[in-house]
């Protein structure tokens, strides 16, 4: 692989990861220090900034203990960083796939920062008080036990299920109900694009290369992607 292609792939991955993490943290810190827990700001009928916190994964889901979840995220991010380092060195891997993996890494890392540090650098006052930086002197939770800040809420439409539908008849339905953050969005966008457009690049590198590249090009080390 030419040095130019290698460097451009490295730069793409670094720029995507750093950009998402920085923007995500700026927005989270701003919301954390300007909204009290549960406060909402209606931007439009279909979009609100709503400050909530959660102990779980993307979109407020729960998975095991808090410490287990944080350590699990760290292991996943470390594995994906190792994976993307390998990706940028492969001629046949397109930049679009690298950008998607970078989005997933950035999203997971963004929520890791909340879990590791927010408990010790912020207090957690009862509403309507707003959180402030503590300087690490009196946080609301130990290291690794912080809560993830969510704020993006898109109540696009709602309706009531007809009474004749079993189990859910008469219940109110809201789309899209979960509150999430930029890190969650990065993970979701990266995964969706991979599934739709780059699923053929998932798997052991040697198997992917054999599937995508003619044997003659593999032997001549000419197999590359222009995507």
């Amino acid at each position: 692989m030419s040095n130019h292609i290698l460097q451009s792939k490295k730069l793409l991955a670094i720029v995507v990861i750093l950009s998402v993490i920085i923007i995500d943290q700026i927005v989270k810190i701003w919301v954390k220090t300007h909204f009290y827990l549960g406060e909402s700001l209606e931007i439009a009928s279909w979009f609100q900034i709503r400050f909530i916190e959660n102990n779980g994964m993307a979109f407020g889901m729960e998975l095991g203990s808090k410490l287990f979840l944080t350590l699990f995220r760290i292991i996943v991010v470390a594995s994906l960083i190792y994976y993307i380092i390998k990706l940028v060195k492969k001629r046949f891997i397109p930049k679009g796939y690298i950008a998607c993996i970078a989005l997933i890494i950035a999203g997971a890392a963004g929520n890791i920062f909340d879990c590791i540090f927010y408990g010790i650098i912020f207090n957690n006052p009862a509403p309507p008080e707003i959180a402030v930086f503590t300087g690490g002197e009196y946080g609301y939770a130990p290291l690794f036990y912080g809560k993830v800040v969510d704020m993006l809420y898109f109540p696009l439409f709602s309706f009531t299920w007809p009474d004749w539908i079993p189990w859910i008849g008469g219940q109110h339905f809201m789309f899209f109900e979960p509150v999430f953050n930029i890190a969650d969005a990065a993970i979701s966008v990266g995964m969706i694009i991979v599934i739709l457009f780059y699923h053929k690049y998932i798997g052991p590198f040697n198997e992917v290369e054999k599937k995508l590249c003619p044997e003659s090009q593999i032997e001549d080390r000419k197999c590359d992607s222009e995507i």
Side-chain angles (χ1 to χ4, degrees):
M1 178 185 296
S2 70
N3 188 60
H4 172 71
I5 296 175
L6 176 62
Q7 292 302 321
S8 66
K9 287 185 175 183
K10 284 183 178 179
L11 181 62
L12 173 64
I14 292 171
V15 168
V16 171
I17 291 172
L18 290 181
S19 297
V20 172
I21 290 175
I22 291 171
I23 294 171
D24 177 65
Q25 289 300 309
I26 288 174
V27 173
K28 285 176 177 175
I29 292 172
W30 178 77
V31 169
K32 181 77 173 173
T33 57
H34 288 79
F35 288 70
Y36 59 80
L37 189 62
E39 183 178 4
S40 296
L41 173 64
E42 184 173 304
I43 307 300
S45 60
W46 48 269
F47 172 49
Q48 297 178 23
I49 297 176
R50 176 176 293 184
F51 174 32
I52 68 168
E53 294 179 313
N54 71 79
N55 291 315
M57 301 184 72
F59 304 105
M61 294 183 290
E62 299 285 339
L63 177 64
S65 70
K66 181 64 181 179
L67 180 59
F68 169 80
L69 179 59
T70 303
L71 294 176
F72 174 75
R73 281 181 172 141
I74 293 173
I75 293 171
V76 169
V77 170
S79 300
L80 287 174
I81 290 174
Y82 176 80
Y83 178 61
I84 203 170
I85 290 172
K86 295 292 186 181
L87 281 181
V88 300
K89 298 178 181 179
K90 301 297 181 180
R91 294 178 62 88
F92 57 90
I93 299 296
K95 291 182 179 180
Y97 183 59
I98 291 174
C100 289
I101 300 303
L103 282 173
I104 296 170
I105 292 172
N111 286 332
I112 285 174
F113 289 136
D114 299 31
C115 296
I116 295 177
F117 300 114
Y118 278 23
I120 60 174
I121 66 173
F122 290 110
N123 67 344
N124 194 30
E129 297 295 321
I130 295 174
V132 297
F133 285 105
T134 67
E137 295 181 2
Y138 57 96
Y140 68 83
L143 198 68
F144 290 97
Y145 284 86
K147 294 183 178 181
V148 176
V149 174
D150 292 327
M151 78 295 295
L152 303 177
Y153 180 46
F154 290 87
L156 299 179
F157 62 87
S158 63
F159 60 86
T160 300
W161 292 103
D163 292 334
W164 53 267
I165 299 180
W167 299 295
I168 60 174
Q171 296 183 17
H172 183 74
F173 175 81
M174 173 70 72
F175 183 90
F176 179 73
E177 191 169 11
V179 182
F180 59 99
N181 57 44
I182 292 173
D184 297 334
I187 294 171
S188 299
V189 169
M191 292 183 67
I192 290 171
I193 295 177
V194 166
I195 292 171
L196 292 179
F197 302 107
Y198 295 110
H199 55 274
K200 62 185 178 181
Y201 296 98
I202 300 174
F205 289 128
N206 59 336
E207 296 297 327
V208 173
E209 188 174 23
K210 289 179 181 178
K211 180 172 61 175
L212 297 177
C213 306
E215 187 173 347
S216 59
Q217 289 189 10
I218 294 176
E219 293 175 352
D220 295 337
R221 302 183 64 83
K222 293 180 179 180
C223 184
D224 201 357
S225 174
E226 298 179 354
I227 300 177

